C-alpha cells in the first residue's frame, strides 16, 4: 500500500497549477481597428476567471460599468457570454477616433487587467476639383503664354487622398507636385497635386484631355475624377478682299459685291466691314478653317472715293488684321436750278443764276433764250460735300415793255450723262392788285364760344395775282387761296374761343408791285361762359359751430356769370360781393356763402355753379369741407343695450367719427376707468370695434366709452346684459335653517341669473299649502335675486328638507335646505389670509350654519412655538356678521397660528376650528408696501409735494394765530386791570375752572364763533366808565347751597327760600371774584379782587325776551339801556336805588361744551360738603374745559374803548329779530324758547330727583318752580344798568323783546 506522503509533491504541483490557472486573465484583447465613418464597429474583450468588474475607457476617460454606458447613446457593451465584454459603437464619427482600453478591476487578490486598441475612423474624400476650372470645362491657353499650372485638390479625407494626373488616359509623372494640408482642429486632411505645362503648347497641348483622379483607404480602390480639355489659341491670317480692283470705275446705281475672307486661327476670326471708319456690317460666317463676310450695296454718289475696310480679330490677336479698297464712281447731275427775280418793272436789270447738283466729273452749263445759246457765259466749279463737283453759271438781263413773258433755259451735262439736265424761267413786268374785301361777319353781331365762323377775303387784278394773308392781331394765320379768273379769294375758318372776343382780324392783299400791302379789318364779339370756378374756405379747417365763409370766384365770362350754391341737390343763395374786368374782355364774379358747420358737414360737398345766362352755358366745381369736431357716436349703429348669452361672442361697432381722428378711447365701467385688454378678458377693442369673446357674467354692467381728439371728448353709454341660467348660492350658511317648536324660521335662497329668475319652493315628502308658509321673492340687483320662505309657529311636521328651484329661460338650478331644531353652529369655512404688515394681519372666513341662533365669532391667535392663545371677541357691526378681521399689535417678522371660533346660545361649534399659519412682514416699509391690497404706491410725486406744502402752510398759519391771540390777551390784560376781558365775557357761556355754569352739549362744541353784530365784549368796553360811579354801598352777597347740607352750623338764614338752608359768608364787594373754599366751608364773594383777575359778569335777559338761541359768539346777548338785572319775583330788577339782591337764575342761553358735564353735572350730596366743587358721574373731580373763548377766531367787531377816560354813555344795543322774523313776547313765561333745533327724549338731561327728564336748558328768569336751580349764578349788587343822569324816559321806550341781557 502506497503511503499518503508519496502523493504530497503531486498535490503541491496541482495546487500551484490551480493557482496559476485560477487568476483572472484576458481570453481576447481588443485589436486596432480601422472603420469607415458612419459604419458600426465592435472592439472585443473577453476575460477568463473574472472576479473583478469590467469597464471600458476612451482616451483615459472611464465609461463606467453600466452596459448601456449612460451619456454615450451610440456606445454599449455587448455581453453574449459571461466572459465577453465587447464595446459596440454604431454610426461612427470622427469623434470616436481614439484609443479604447478594456479594464478589469483587481479583486480577491487578482491583479488588474488592461488591454488597449486604437480605433481609426476613415473618411472618404470629396470629389476632386481642378481649382478654377469646373469638371468638363475647356482651358483656354494663349500661344504666347510662358507656362500654365493646373492644381487638383481633394478635400476632407482621412487619410489624405492620393492624386494622379492623366493626359489623354496616360499617367503623367513629370512636372507634378503632391502636397498634403492638415485641417486645423480636425483629423481630416486636404491633398493637392499641381501639374505644370511646358511651352510649345500649339504642338503638344492643343486638344489634350487632362484627368485628375483621387482615392484613399476609405473608398477601397475606387477613384474619384474630374476632367478638363486644353485649348491653345493662335491668330488668323491677314484677310483678303475680292469683288473690286484698285482704279476700277463704277456708275452711280450699279450694284457692288465685296467679299472679305480670313483663314486659319483658333478660334476662327470675326470679320467686320467698315466704310470710312464707320462699322457697317459684322454678319460674318465661319466654316472649316475660314471666316467670310460678304458686303453688297448699290453705288451712290457718296461712294465716290469712299474707303471700305475689312478687319479680322480673335482672342489671340493683339490688334485687328485689315484689308481695304477705295471706290471711284461716275454720275451726272440730278438737276439744275435757276434762281433770281422773275418779275421786275420795265427797265430793271434781272440777274439769273444756274447751279447744278453734284456730279463726277464736273458738268458743263449752257444758257438758251428763244432756242439760241447765249455766248460768253462762264462756268464756276467747286467740290461737293456729298462727293463730285457743283457747277454754277450767272447771266444778267434788262427788261423792257416788249420783253414781257420771255423764257430762259439752263442745261448741264458731263461724261457720265446720256442727255442734258435743264431748268427754265419766264420773266414778266409787274403791276398792283385791287383792294381786299371781307364777307361773312358784320360788326355788332356776337358769336357764341365754340361756334364755327367762316370769313372770306377777295381781291381782283394785279400782275402777278395778289397774295392774300389773314392776321389775328399781328399773328399770321393759315389760309388756302383760290383763283377764279382775275379774282383771288381766301377763306378763313374760325372756331371761336374766348380769346376771339374783341379780337381784330385783318386781311392783306399784295404782290411785288405793292410796296405796302392793302388791308381790311374786322373786330369780333364772342360771348363765352366762365372756364372754371375757384372755391376757397375761410378758415380752411373750420371747427364745428364756428362761422365759415365759402367764396366762389368765377373765371372771366361775357356777359358776367350768375353764381348759385348747391349742397345735396338743394340750391342755396349766396351773396355776390364783386364783379370785375378780367381776361378776354370778360368779367369775373365773386360770391360768398356764410354757414355755421356742424359735424354733419364734415366731408360735405358744396358745389358752386356759375352760369352765363345769355348763352345758357354753366360751369361748376365743388369743395369738400374738412370740419374739425369732437368725436360723435352714431346711435343708429351703436346699440345702447347689448344682450348676450354667457359664453357667446359678438362684434359691436362703437366707432366714433371725429376730425381729426380719434386719438384715444377710454372705457369706463360703473364710472371707473378700465383697461379693456387687461381688466376685461372677454373684450378686445380695436379702433372702435368691440369684439366680445366668451363673455362672462362678471363682465355685466354699465359701460361708457369715451372718445377723445384734439377738439374734445364725448361719451357713449351702453349696458351689457349677460344672460345665463340661474346659479343658487350653496354656501353652508344657507343650506340649513333651524328653530325650536313655536318659533319662526326663515329659509333663504339666493340666486344669480339673467334674464329674470323665478323661484319655486317644494318640500320633500310633504306640501307647503299650510298658511304657516309665507314666500317673498325680490330682485336684489341686476342679476341677484332673493327668495325667503317664512315658517310661522314651526312644529315637528314642518321639519325636513325643502327644495328651492330657480328658473329662467336659460335654465334651472335647485338647492336643498334642511330644517331642524336649533343646534350649535357649524365651524367657519374658508379661513383665508388676506394681508400682512409688520404689525398687523388681515384674515377672512365664511360663516357656517348658525344653528338657528345668532352666532358669535372670536379670533384666536398665538405666536408659533410659544404657549398661550390670545382671544378677541368680534362685535357685529350694524347687526351684520363680520367676516374680515384685522389683528393688530403683532411682532415684526413673526409666524402666528390663527383660528376663528364660533358659538351661539347653545354653545361653541363642535370639532376643532381650522387653523392657518401666517407671518408678519420683516420690514415696516417693504412689508406694508408688499401687503397693501387696495392702496397703491403709485401716488404721483406732485400730489405728495402739494400735500406737504399745504401742510407746512397750515402749520405756520396755526402757529401765527396762536401767537396772535396770546399777545392780544396779554395786551388786554395789561391795559385793562379793572374791567372784564374778552375772555371773561365769553366765559359766561362756557364753564371755567372755578365755576361750571353753562354745560355745552357735545354737538355744539365744534361750532365756530364769529361776530356779525355788536358783541358782549364791545359793550363791556363801553360800560367800564359806569362801573363805580355814584354807587351805593352794596349789601352782602350770599351764595346759596342747592339743598340742605348736613352739619351746617349757621341757622341764621335770612333768605326767604322755604326749602333752602345756607351757610352764609358776608362779602363786601363791588367787583366779585369767585374763590375756591376748602371743604366744609362756604364759597363767598370777597372784595380783594385785583384788576387782572377773572371777573364774572352775568348776562340775564328780561323774562319776556324772545330772541332765538344759538351757541355762537355772534349771537351772544345784546344789551339795551332799559335792561335790569332780574333778581326776585317781588323785586325782579336792580333799580335806580342800587338795591342789590340775591341772583336766582343763571343765563338760560348757556350751552354745553366738550369735556363738561350734563344737566346733573353736580353731585350735591357728595361727602356732605358744599356743592361748590363739581364732579362727573363717576365721582371724579372735573377739570376746567376749554371755554368758548378758547375757540374764538375773531376779534371784536369794533375797536375797543377800554382806554378811554371820559364818561361817554354806551350806544344803544343792536336790534335783531328772531329766526321767525318777528319778536315773540313770552312775557313772564317760566321757560324761555328752545334753541332752534329739534330735540328727542334722549337729548334731555337725566332726572335730578325723580324720573322726569330735565330740559337741556335752564329755567327762565323769574321762574321759581323749576327743580333745576343753579346756586352758582353770581349777582352784581352794584349794577343798575346803563344810566344817563336818571333819564328813564329815554330808556323805557326801547322794547325789551330784542335784548338778551345787560353787562353787570
Amino acid at each position: 500500500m502506497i503511503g499518503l506522503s508519496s502523493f504530497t509533491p503531486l498535490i503541491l504541483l496541482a495546487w500551484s497549477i490551480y493557482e496559476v490557472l485560477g487568476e483572472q486573465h484576458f481570453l481576447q484583447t481588443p485589436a486596432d481597428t480601422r472603420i469607415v465613418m458612419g459604419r458600426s464597429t465592435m472592439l472585443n474583450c473577453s476575460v477568463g476567471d473574472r472576479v473583478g468588474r469590467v469597464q471600458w475607457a476612451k482616451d483615459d476617460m472611464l465609461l463606467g460599468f453600466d452596459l448601456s454606458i449612460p451619456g454615450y447613446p451610440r456606445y454599449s457593451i455587448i455581453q453574449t457570454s459571461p466572459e465577453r465584454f465587447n464595446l459596440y459603437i454604431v454610426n461612427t464619427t470622427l469623434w470616436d477616433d481614439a484609443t479604447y482600453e478594456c479594464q478589469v478591476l483587481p479583486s480577491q487578490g487578482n491583479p488588474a487587467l488592461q488591454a488597449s486598441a486604437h480605433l481609426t475612423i476613415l473618411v472618404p474624400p470629396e470629389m476632386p476639383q481642378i481649382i478654377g476650372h469646373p469638371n468638363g470645362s475647356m482651358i483656354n491657353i494663349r500661344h504666347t503664354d510662358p507656362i500654365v499650372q493646373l492644381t487638383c485638390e481633394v478635400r476632407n479625407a482621412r487619410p489624405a487622398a492620393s492624386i494622379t494626373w492623366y493626359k489623354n488616359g496616360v499617367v503623367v509623372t513629370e512636372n507634378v507636385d503632391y502636397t498634403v494640408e492638415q485641417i486645423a482642429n480636425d483629423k481630416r486632411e486636404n491633398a493637392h497635386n499641381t501639374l505644370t505645362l511646358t511651352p510649345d503648347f500649339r504642338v503638344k497641348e492643343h486638344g489634350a484631355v487632362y484627368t485628375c483622379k483621387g482615392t484613399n483607404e476609405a473608398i477601397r480602390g475606387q477613384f474619384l475624377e474630374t476632367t478638363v480639355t486644353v485649348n491653345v489659341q493662335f491668330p488668323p491670317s491677314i484677310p483678303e478682299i475680292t469683288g473690286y480692283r484698285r482704279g476700277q470705275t463704277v456708275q452711280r446705281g450699279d450694284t457692288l459685291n465685296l467679299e472679305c475672307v480670313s483663314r486659319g486661327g483658333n478660334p476662327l476670326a470675326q470679320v467686320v466691314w467698315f466704310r470710312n471708319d464707320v462699322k457697317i456690317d459684322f454678319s460674318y460666317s465661319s466654316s472649316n478653317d475660314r471666316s467670310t463676310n460678304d458686303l453688297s450695296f448699290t453705288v451712290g454718289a457718296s461712294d465716290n472715293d469712299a474707303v471700305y475696310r475689312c478687319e479680322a480679330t480673335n482672342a489671340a490677336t493683339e490688334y485687328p488684321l485689315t484689308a481695304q479698297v477705295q471706290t471711284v464712281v461716275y454720275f451726272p447731275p440730278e438737276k439744275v436750278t435757276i434762281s433770281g427775280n422773275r418779275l421786275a418793272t420795265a427797265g430793271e436789270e434781272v440777274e439769273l443764276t444756274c447751279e447744278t447738283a453734284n456730279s463726277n466729273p464736273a458738268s458743263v452749263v449752257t444758257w438758251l433764250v428763244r432756242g439760241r445759246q447765249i455766248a460768253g457765259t462762264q462756268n464756276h466749279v467747286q467740290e461737293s460735300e456729298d462727293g463730285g463737283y457743283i457747277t454754277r453759271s450767272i447771266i444778267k438781263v434788262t427788261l423792257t415793255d416788249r420783253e414781257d413773258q420771255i423764257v430762259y433755259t439752263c442745261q448741264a451735262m458731263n461724261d457720265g450723262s446720256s442727255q442734258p439736265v435743264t431748268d427754265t424761267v419766264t420773266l414778266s413786268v409787274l403791276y398792283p392788285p385791287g383792294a381786299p374785301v371781307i364777307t361773312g361777319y358784320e360788326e355788332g353781331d356776337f358769336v357764341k364760344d365754340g361756334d364755327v365762323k367762316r370769313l372770306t377775303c377777295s381781291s381782283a387784278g394785279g400782275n402777278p395775282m395778289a397774295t392774300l394773308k389773314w392776321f389775328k392781331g399781328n399773328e399770321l394765320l393759315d389760309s388756302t387761296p383760290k383763283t377764279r379768273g382775275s379774282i383771288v379769294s381766301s377763306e378763313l375758318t374760325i372756331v371761336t374761343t374766348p380769346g376771339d372776343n374783341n379780337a381784330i382780324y385783318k386781311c392783306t392783299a399784295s404782290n411785288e408791285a405793292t410796296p405796302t400791302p392793302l388791308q381790311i379789318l374786322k373786330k369780333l364779339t364772342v360771348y363765352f361762359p366762365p372756364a372754371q370756378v375757384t372755391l376757397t374756405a375761410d378758415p380752411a379747417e373750420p371747427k364745428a359751430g364756428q362761422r365759415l365763409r365759402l367764396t366762389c370766384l368765377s373765371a372771366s365770362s361775357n356777359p358776367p356769370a350768375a353764381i348759385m350754391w348747391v349742397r345735396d341737390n338743394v340750391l342755396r343763395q349766396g351773396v355776390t360781393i364783386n364783379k370785375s374786368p378780367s381776361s378776354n374782355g370778360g368779367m369775373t364774379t365773386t360770391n360768398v356763402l356764410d354757414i355755421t358747420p356742424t359735424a354733419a358737414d364734415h366731408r360735405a360737398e358744396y358745389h358752386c355753379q356759375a352760369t352765363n345766362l345769355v348763352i345758357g352755358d354753366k360751369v361748376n366745381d365743388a369743395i369738400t369741407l374738412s370740419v374739425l369736431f369732437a368725436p360723435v357716436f352714431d346711435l343708429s349703429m351703436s346699440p345702447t343695450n347689448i344682450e348676450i348669452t354667457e359664453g357667446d361672442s359678438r362684434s359691436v361697432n362703437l366707432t366714433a367719427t371725429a376730425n381729426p381722428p380719434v386719438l384715444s378711447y377710454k372705457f369706463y365701467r360703473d364710472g371707473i376707468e378700465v383697461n379693456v385688454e387687461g381688466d376685461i378678458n372677454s373684450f378686445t377693442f380695436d379702433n372702435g370695434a368691440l369684439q366680445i369673446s366668451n363673455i362672462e357674467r362678471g363682465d355685466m354692467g354699465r359701460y361708457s366709452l369715451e372718445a377723445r381728439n384734439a377738439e374734445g371728448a364725448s361719451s357713449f353709454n351702453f349696458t351689457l346684459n349677460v344672460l345665463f341660467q340661474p346659479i343658487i348660492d350653496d354656501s353652508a350658511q344657507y343650506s340649513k335653517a333651524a328653530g325650536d317648536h313655536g318659533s319662526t324660521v326663515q329659509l333663504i335662497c339666493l340666486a344669480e341669473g339673467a334674464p329674470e329668475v323665478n323661484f319655486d319652493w317644494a318640500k320633500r315628502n310633504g306640501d307647503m299649502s299650510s298658511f304657516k308658509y309665507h314666500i317673498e321673492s325680490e330682485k336684489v340687483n341686476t342679476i341677484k335675486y332673493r327668495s325667503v320662505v317664512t315658517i310661522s309657529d314651526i312644529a315637528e311636521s314642518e321639519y325636513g328638507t325643502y327644495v328651492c328651484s330657480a328658473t329662467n329661460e336659460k335654465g334651472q338650478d335647485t338647492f336643498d335646505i334642511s330644517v331642524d331644531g336649533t343646534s350649535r353652529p357649524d365651524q367657519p369655512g374658508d379661513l383665508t389670509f388676506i394681508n400682512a404688515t409688520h404689525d398687523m394681519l388681515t384674515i377672512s372666513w365664511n360663516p357656517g350654519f348658525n344653528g338657528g341662533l345668532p352666532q358669535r365669532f372670536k379670533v384666536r391667535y398665538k405666536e408659533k412655538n410659544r404657549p398661550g392663545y390670545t382671544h378677541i371677541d368680534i362685535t357685529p357691526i350694524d347687526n351684520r356678521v363680520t367676516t374680515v378681521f384685522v389683528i393688530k399689535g403683532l411682532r415684526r417678522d413673526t409666524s402666528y397660528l390663527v383660528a376663528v371660533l364660533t358659538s351661539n346660545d347653545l354653545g361653541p361649534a363642535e370639532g376643532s376650528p381650522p387653523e392657518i399659519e401666517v407671518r408678519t412682514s420683516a420690514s415696516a416699509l417693504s412689508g406694508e408696501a408688499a401687503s397693501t391690497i387696495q392702496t397703491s404706491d403709485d401716488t404721483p410725486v406732485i400730489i405728495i409735494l402739494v400735500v406737504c406744502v399745504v401742510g407746512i402752510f397750515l402749520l405756520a398759519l396755526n402757529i401765527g394765530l396762536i401767537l396772535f391771540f396770546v399777545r392780544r390777551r396779554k395786551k388786554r390784560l395789561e391795559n385793562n386791570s379793572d374791567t372784564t376781558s374778552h375772555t371773561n365775557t365769553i366765559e359766561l357761556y362756557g364753564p371755567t375752572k372755578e365755576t361750571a355754569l353753562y354745560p355745552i352739549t357735545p354737538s355744539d362744541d365744534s361750532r365756530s364763533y364769529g361776530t356779525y353784530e355788536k358783541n358782549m365784549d364791545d359793550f363791556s368796553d363801553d360800560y367800564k366808565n359806569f362801573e363805580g360811579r355814584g354807587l351805593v354801598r352794596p349789601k352782602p352777597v350770599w351764595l346759596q347751597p342747592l339743598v340742605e347740607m348736613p352739619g351746617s352750623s349757621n341757622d341764621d338764614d335770612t333768605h326767604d327760600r322755604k326749602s333752602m338752608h345756607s351757610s352764609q359768608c358776608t362779602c363786601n364787594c363791588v367787583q366779585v371774584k369767585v374763590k375756591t373754599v376748602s371743604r366744609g366751608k362756604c364759597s363767598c364773594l370777597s372784595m380783594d379782587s385785583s384788576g387782572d383777575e377773572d371777573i364774572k359778569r352775568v348776562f340775564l335777559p328780561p323774562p319776556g325776551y324772545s330772541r332765538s338761541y344759538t351757541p355762537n359768539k355772534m349771537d351772544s346777548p345784546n344789551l339795551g339801556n332799559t335792561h335790569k338785572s332780574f333778581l326776585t319775583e317781588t323785586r325782579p330788577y336792580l333799580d335806580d336805588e342800587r338795591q342789590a339782591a340775591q341772583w336766582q337764575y343763571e343765563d338760560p342761553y348757556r350751552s354745553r361744551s366738550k369735556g363738561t358735564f350734563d344737566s346733573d353735572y353736580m353731585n350735591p350730596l357728595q361727602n356732605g360738603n358744599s356743592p361748590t366743587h363739581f364732579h362727573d358721574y363717576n365721582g371724579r373731580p372735573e377739570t376746567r374745559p376749554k371755554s368758548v373763548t378758547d375757540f374764538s377766531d375773531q376779534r371784536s367787531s369794533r375797536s375797543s374803548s377800554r382806554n378811554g377816560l371820559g364818561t361817554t354813555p354806551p350806544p344803544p344795543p343792536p336790534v335783531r329779530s328772531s329766526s321767525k322774523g318777528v319778536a315773540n313776547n313770552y312775557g313772564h313765561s317760566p321757560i324761555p324758547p328752545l334753541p332752534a333745533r329739534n330735540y328727542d327724549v334722549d337729548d334731555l338731561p337725566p332726572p335730578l330727583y325723580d324720573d322726569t327728564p330735565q330740559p337741556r336748558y335752564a329755567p327762565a328768569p323769574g321762574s321759581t318752580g323749576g327743580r333745576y336751580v343753579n346756586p352758582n349764578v353770581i349777582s352784581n349788587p352794584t349794577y343798575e344798568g346803563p344810566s344817563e343822569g336818571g333819564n328813564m324816559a329815554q330808556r323805557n321806550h326801547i322794547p325789551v323783546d330784542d335784548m338778551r341781557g345787560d353787562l353787570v
Side-chain angles (χ1 to χ4, degrees), residues 236-285:
S237 63
I238 296 175
E240 299 177 357
I241 298 176
T242 59
Y244 183 82
R245 66 182 182 276
R246 184 182 300 274
Q248 180 182 349
T249 299
V250 294
Q251 299 291 324
R252 183 174 60 184
D254 292 345
T255 297
L256 190 61
N257 295 314
L258 302 179
E259 182 184 57
C260 181
V261 179
S262 175
R263 294 177 175 82
N266 181 34
L268 293 177
Q270 297 179 354
V271 181
V272 180
W273 279 104
F274 290 83
R275 179 181 183 273
N276 294 334
D277 296 330
V278 177
K279 183 185 294 185
I280 59 174
D281 188 6
F282 46 86
S283 59
Y284 67 96
S285 61

Side-chain angles (χ1 to χ4, degrees), residues 25-29 44-50 54 56 77-86 102 104:
H25 58 278
F26 282 116
L27 297 177
Q28 184 180 7
T29 58
N44 297 319
C45 181
S46 297
V47 183
D49 299 325
R50 179 184 62 83
V54 178
W56 283 86
I77 296 176
I78 306 299
Q79 191 173 20
T80 59
S81 62
E83 65 273 5
R84 291 184 178 275
F85 292 89
N86 298 334
C102 179
V104 183

Side-chain angles (χ1 to χ4, degrees), residues 383-446:
E383 292 185 1
S384 172
E385 294 179 357
D386 296 328
Y389 304 91
I390 296 175
T391 303
R392 182 180 296 107
S393 178
I394 300 174
I395 64 170
K396 295 181 179 180
V397 178
T398 300
L399 295 181
T400 64
D401 293 339
R402 293 173 296 176
E403 292 183 349
D404 188 23
Q405 302 297 322
I406 298 176
V407 177
Y408 286 80
T409 301
C410 171
Q411 64 181 14
M413 291 185 66
N414 71 350
D415 293 343
S417 301
S418 58
Q419 59 183 3
V421 180
T422 63
D423 187 20
T424 61
V425 64
T426 301
L427 300 181
S428 61
V429 180
L430 305 175
Y431 56 88
V437 176
I438 295 178
T439 58
Y441 176 79
E442 296 296 333
E443 292 190 4
D445 294 342
F446 72 88

Side-chain angles (χ1 to χ4, degrees), residues 509-832:
S510 62
N511 64 6
E512 288 80 349
T514 56
T516 301
L518 306 176
Q519 64 181 16
I520 183 172
L521 307 176
K522 290 288 184 180
K523 183 176 181 181
L524 209 61
T525 299
V526 179
Y527 282 181
F528 55 91
Q532 64 179 11
V533 290
T534 302
L535 287 85
T536 58
D538 183 22
E541 282 192 336
K543 296 184 177 181
Q546 181 184 34
R547 178 180 174 274
L548 170 65
R549 167 163 286 194
L550 300 178
T551 303
C552 180
L553 174 65
S554 73
S556 180
S557 174
N558 185 28
I563 293 179
M564 292 294 293
W565 294 88
V566 180
R567 180 176 185 253
D568 296 335
N569 298 321
V570 178
L571 291 176
R572 297 194 178 190
Q573 187 69 43
V575 178
T576 299
I577 60 174
N578 186 35
K579 292 183 180 180
S580 59
S582 185
S583 60
N584 301 324
M587 301 281 286
T588 60
T589 303
T590 304
N591 189 283
V592 297
L593 176 65
D594 293 326
I595 61 173
T596 300
T598 64
D601 290 313
H602 181 56
R603 300 191 181 281
E605 291 185 353
Y606 279 81
H607 293 259
C608 171
Q609 188 178 89
T611 306
N612 188 317
L613 299 179
V614 176
I615 62 178
D617 291 351
K618 62 184 67 175
V619 65
N620 66 77
D621 198 358
I623 185 172
T624 301
L625 300 186
S626 177
V627 180
L628 302 177
F629 61 95
V632 175
F633 290 92
D634 189 353
L635 300 182
S636 63
M637 296 178 61
S638 303
T640 58
N641 188 30
I642 303 173
E643 286 193 351
I644 181 172
T645 302
E646 185 176 23
D648 288 354
S649 301
R650 181 180 301 175
S651 296
V652 182
N653 184 3
L654 300 179
T655 305
T657 57
N659 188 34
V662 175
L663 292 178
S664 64
Y665 285 96
K666 289 184 179 179
F667 260 95
Y668 295 86
R669 180 176 182 177
D670 297 328
I672 301 175
E673 183 178 353
V674 295
N675 181 1
V676 173
E677 302 296 337
D679 297 340
I680 307 176
N681 296 329
S682 303
F683 283 7
T684 302
F685 187 76
D686 183 17
N687 249 358
L690 175 63
Q691 179 65 41
I692 304 175
S693 303
N694 299 323
I695 190 68
E696 300 175 357
R697 71 192 65 174
D699 299 329
M700 179 184 299
R702 294 183 177 90
Y703 292 87
S704 178
L705 175 61
E706 179 190 82
R708 180 178 297 274
N709 67 353
E711 296 300 312
S714 62
S715 298
F716 174 74
N717 301 322
F718 65 94
T719 302
L720 179 63
N721 294 321
V722 180
L723 307 181
F724 59 95
Q725 75 173 30
I727 298 177
I728 298 178
D729 186 350
D730 57 359
S731 300
Q733 57 183 322
Y734 301 120
S735 64
K736 299 178 184 179
D740 295 331
H741 291 179
S743 64
T744 299
V745 177
Q746 284 190 337
L747 284 66
I748 300 175
C749 185
L750 301 178
E752 292 185 354
E756 184 176 358
V757 175
N758 297 315
F759 291 94
D760 291 320
W761 288 87
K763 181 182 179 186
R764 295 191 186 278
N765 303 323
D767 63 77
M768 298 178 63
S769 59
S770 172
F771 66 90
K772 291 185 176 183
Y773 295 96
H774 178 68
I775 302 175
E776 289 185 354
S777 298
E778 63 176 345
K779 183 176 183 179
V780 180
N781 57 28
T782 306
I783 61 174
K784 290 187 178 181
Y785 297 83
R786 182 175 185 265
S787 182
V788 179
V789 173
T790 303
I791 308 175
S792 304
D793 192 18
I794 192 168
E796 184 73 25
S797 60
E798 278 81 48
Y799 290 156
T801 301
Y802 292 80
V803 180
C804 171
S805 298
T807 309
N808 68 3
E809 64 182 39
K810 294 298 179 180
Q812 183 183 32
D813 193 12
T814 61
F815 183 53
D816 289 351
I817 304 175
S818 63
V819 180
D820 204 342
T822 57
S823 64
R824 295 183 181 184
D826 294 344
Q827 291 288 358
D830 299 332
L831 179 59
T832 306

Side-chain angles (χ1 to χ4, degrees), residues 56-73:
W56 283 86
K58 175 188 177 184
D59 287 341
D60 298 329
M61 179 177 290
L62 299 179
L63 302 181
F65 301 101
D66 195 331
L67 298 180
S68 62
I69 309 183
Y72 296 82

